[in-house]
């Protein structure tokens, strides 16, 4: 069997995401089969992504691309978290209690330096779950299954990533021009616009929920409860590229008021090698399989920042991404 056939069949057993489960946002094409044609949904929930390889490479894999918030300047998130916070306690703790405690910690953090308009947010991530084939992959398979790197300009005028060239053998940096601000591409938003929304959120949970309902960035799902619509709005902002600590604290307090949260009572390990806190929120059952669906937010146990998201179905991880490192650089292709 050739390598590209293996890529096509790699995740053939993963269930196709249904529209209801992806209610926070529509699936987006980050890299289409045509070279250079990409579209990045920034305001919508950046859930499941269809990743295509240019020219002869036609394989498609479902994954999550999260360029998550982080300190600006040239600070970099480590590949794995240090020892968990001494005050960390998970056993017997409810999701709401944990979120309120995390919010209080975040409120004490100083705001980091905000990127300039021309700087780029760099993210390196791993697909969840880690496929056994990825460990020994070579050539195009290694590029497809190994850590993925991406860049987006803070002002939303361009994004970049490494894809395979037309030979399917070598990686090449692809830069795509965009215009995300001021509604230039529909309901997409730049990292700068997302930051401004987060920075303006009130501190209180109910006030934050009211602000999000008035903004109504995500169209309400027909027949969905208010709590479900609130969760969809919050989950969009939880994936922001640059996250002010007080803005994240506001989201956590608002999320703490919603039903359906469940905190795992021990740290879990991600494909990126981190030991993290797992916070689940139930979604609708898959209508085809009848199995329950959950979002699992991955949270650093020391900084309380989100470092990934996974989809759980039938008790198993069936999709997602976790962060290896992130930082701010001066140009696409540069690493912190």
């Amino acid at each position: 069997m050739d390598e590209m056939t293996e890529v096509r069949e790699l995740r053939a057993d993963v269930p196709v995401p249904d529209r209801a489960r992806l209610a926070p946002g529509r699936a987006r094409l980050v890299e289409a089969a045509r070279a250079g044609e990409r579209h990045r949904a920034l305001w919508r929930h950046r859930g499941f992504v269809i990743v295509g390889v240019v020219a002869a490479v036609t394989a498609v894999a479902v994954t999550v691309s999260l360029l998550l918030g982080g300190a600006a300047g040239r600070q970099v998130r480590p590949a794995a978290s240090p020892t968990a916070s001494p005050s960390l306690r998970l056993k017997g703790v409810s999701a709401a209690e944990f979120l309120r405690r995390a919010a209080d910690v975040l409120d004490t953090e100083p705001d980091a330096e905000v990127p300039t308009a021309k700087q780029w947010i760099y993210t390196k991530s791993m697909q969840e779950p880690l496929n056994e084939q990825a460990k020994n992959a070579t050539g195009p398979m290694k590029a497809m299954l190994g850590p993925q790197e991406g860049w987006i300009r803070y002002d939303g005028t361009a994004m970049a990533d490494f894809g395979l060239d037309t030979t399917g053998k070598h990686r090449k940096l692809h830069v795509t021009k965009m215009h995300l601000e001021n509604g230039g591409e529909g309901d997409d938003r730049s990292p700068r616009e997302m930051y401004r929304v987060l920075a303006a959120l009130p501190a209180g949970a109910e006030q934050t929920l009211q602000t999000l309902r008035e903004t109504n960035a995500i169209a309400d799902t027909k027949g969905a409860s208010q709590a479900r619509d609130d969760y969809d709005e919050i989950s969009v902002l939880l994936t922001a590229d640059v996250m002010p600590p007080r803005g994240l604290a506001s989201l956590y307090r608002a999320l703490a008021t919603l039903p359906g949260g469940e905190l795992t009572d021990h740290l879990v390990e991600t494909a990126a090698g981190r030991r993290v806190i797992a916070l689940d929120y139930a979604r609708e059952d898959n209508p085809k399989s009848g199995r329950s669906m959950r979002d699992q937010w991955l949270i650093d146990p020391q900084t309380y920042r989100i470092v990934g998201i996974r989809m759980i179905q039938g008790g198993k991880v069936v999709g997602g991404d976790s962060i290896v490192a992130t930082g701010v650089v001066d140009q696409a292709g540069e690493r912190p």
Side-chain angles (χ1 to χ4, degrees), residues 74-94:
R74 305 189 69 84
Q75 205 165 349
V76 185
R77 298 282 176 83
S81 301
T83 304
S85 170
S87 62
L88 181 66
R89 179 173 57 86
L90 299 178
K91 280 190 177 295
V93 177
S94 69

Side-chain angles (χ1 to χ4, degrees), residues 77-81 268-276 300 307 323-325:
R77 298 282 176 83
S81 301
V268 303
E269 188 167 336
T270 73
R274 288 179 186 251
R275 288 181 56 78
V276 300
D300 188 287
V307 292
I323 298 301
V324 176

Side-chain angles (χ1 to χ4, degrees), residues 7-333:
V7 174
R8 294 188 187 96
E9 296 179 353
L10 174 64
R11 294 183 63 78
D13 60 335
V14 174
V16 176
D18 59 271
R19 186 178 182 84
R21 178 160 50 79
L22 299 182
R26 299 172 292 281
R28 61 186 176 90
L29 294 177
V30 172
E31 189 173 347
R34 296 190 301 254
E37 187 170 302
R38 303 177 184 84
H39 184 67
R40 177 182 177 80
L42 291 170
W43 182 259
R44 300 186 294 249
H45 183 278
R46 284 166 299 181
F48 291 83
V49 178
I50 301 172
V51 180
V53 181
V54 296
V57 184
T58 58
V60 176
V62 177
T63 184
V64 175
S65 179
L66 294 177
L67 301 181
L68 295 180
R74 305 189 69 84
Q75 205 165 349
V76 185
R77 298 282 176 83
S81 301
T83 304
S85 170
S87 62
L88 181 66
R89 179 173 57 86
L90 299 178
K91 280 190 177 295
V93 177
S94 69
E97 181 184 351
F98 165 75
L99 287 165
R100 287 191 290 266
R101 187 175 67 197
D104 290 342
V105 172
L106 288 163
D107 264 343
T108 66
E109 290 187 15
D111 288 331
E113 181 183 353
V114 180
T116 65
K118 295 182 180 181
Q119 285 185 304
W120 297 71
I121 295 105
Y122 163 83
T123 300
K124 184 176 183 179
S125 62
M126 284 290 294
Q127 180 179 324
E128 298 277 348
L130 181 62
N131 192 281
E132 288 299 318
Q133 287 178 281
K135 296 179 180 179
N136 301 313
T138 59
M141 281 287 288
K142 185 174 183 179
M144 285 289 291
L145 304 179
Q148 301 298 304
E149 296 177 296
W151 293 260
I152 183 165
R153 246 179 69 141
Y154 186 61
D155 62 3
T157 58
M159 66 172 291
D161 58 17
F162 278 112
L164 298 179
D165 62 13
T166 55
T167 70
K169 297 180 180 179
H170 305 288
R171 298 181 71 198
K172 181 180 179 181
L173 182 68
H174 298 289
V175 179
T176 302
K177 299 295 183 182
M178 300 183 299
H179 180 68
L180 294 180
E181 294 198 336
N182 302 316
E185 295 195 28
D187 56 0
D188 294 350
R189 296 294 183 269
S190 72
R192 179 166 60 184
E193 286 177 317
M194 294 279 278
Y195 183 91
R196 288 170 177 169
V197 170
L198 286 160
L201 288 177
E206 291 302 324
Q207 295 91 332
T208 294
L209 287 174
Q210 187 59 39
T211 298
L212 295 178
R213 290 166 186 169
E214 292 171 356
T215 304
N216 198 32
I218 300 301
D220 294 342
T221 303
K222 186 177 181 180
S225 65
Q226 182 64 66
R228 172 51 51 186
D229 289 335
D230 289 340
Y231 175 75
D232 290 348
E233 296 282 348
I234 292 169
S235 63
V236 173
L237 289 167
L238 286 175
T239 67
D241 296 292
V242 183
M243 184 81 73
R246 288 179 182 81
L248 181 56
S250 296
L251 293 181
Y252 279 173
R253 290 193 179 99
L255 187 57
T257 68
L258 304 183
E262 184 176 327
L263 185 72
T264 301
D265 66 2
H266 59 272
L267 298 181
V268 303
E269 188 167 336
T270 73
R274 288 179 186 251
R275 288 181 56 78
V276 300
I277 298 164
L279 177 66
D280 290 21
Y281 274 85
R283 285 202 165 276
E284 298 82 0
D285 289 350
N286 186 315
K288 294 183 179 179
S289 67
R291 289 183 292 182
S292 62
M293 311 289 293
R294 292 181 287 135
D295 289 342
Q296 185 175 83
W297 296 94
L298 307 176
I299 302 174
D300 188 287
Q302 190 172 57
T303 66
Y304 295 114
R305 290 190 177 263
I306 292 170
V307 292
I309 183 173
R310 304 195 289 205
M311 184 181 73
I312 309 296
Q313 183 182 56
K316 295 182 178 180
V317 178
V318 295
D321 263 10
S322 57
I323 298 301
V324 176
T326 183
V328 176
V329 296
D330 293 328
Q331 59 186 8

